[in-house]
Amino acid sequence: MLVRDAMSTVVLTIGPAHTLRQAAALMSARRVGAAVVLDPDEGGLGILTERDILNSVGLGESPDTERAHAHTTTDVVFAAPTWTLEEASLAMTHGGFRHLVVLDRGEPVGIVSVRDIIRCWAPLRQHAPA
């Protein structure tokens, strides 16, 4: 099975100036665990995850004043839609993260998460011989 078969095509994009509260509200409304951060000044893509927000709040930082750019991961590992789920899971395991931004021709077309992969693999396990 390929990443394109498992990925969510709901790609929430935010700017680096969004507050963490704004980012959290948008992520919650769309029921996603990560947002792609587009920074036109820096010319790149980053990712802000629910864990990034949780870590900030846990440190006592205010989600009303903290900006996405201060918590965005910019050394992102990107997946291709044609990667196998095994390749994606190995990249996540190796990097210690739970989301991969999926790029096609340099544009974000989806996000694949550990949950997406489990959802695809779980039905296969139910039918496998014991």
Side-chain angles (χ1 to χ4, degrees):
M1 189 168 283
L2 301 178
V3 164
R4 76 169 140 243
D5 302 318
M7 72 182 189
S8 169
T9 57
V10 176
V11 180
L12 172 62
T13 58
I14 64 171
H18 276 80
T19 66
L20 294 186
R21 183 172 307 281
Q22 290 170 324
L26 291 167
M27 290 163 65
S28 178
R30 287 170 179 78
R31 300 179 51 84
V32 297
V36 173
V37 181
L38 298 174
D39 190 344
D41 294 332
E42 296 296 321
L45 297 175
I47 190 168
L48 179 74
T49 68
E50 55 200 357
R51 182 171 291 172
D52 297 323
I53 296 169
L54 181 67
N55 287 340
S56 174
V57 172
L59 290 172
E61 299 172 337
S62 171
D64 294 313
T65 57
E66 286 297 308
R67 303 290 172 181
H69 70 83
H71 302 278
T72 298
T73 300
T74 55
D75 59 338
V76 179
V77 175
F78 298 103
T82 55
W83 277 19
T84 65
L85 294 186
E86 289 81 8
E87 289 172 305
S89 66
L90 286 173
M92 289 178 187
T93 301
H94 180 73
F97 45 81
R98 299 178 297 161
H99 297 86
L100 282 169
V101 177
V102 182
L103 293 184
D104 191 15
R105 298 184 183 112
E107 295 295 319
V109 294
I111 293 185
V112 65
S113 70
V114 169
R115 180 177 289 165
D116 296 325
I117 293 171
I118 291 170
R119 195 175 343 210
C120 289
W121 283 348
L124 298 175
R125 294 274 181 190
Q126 291 174 357
H127 300 296

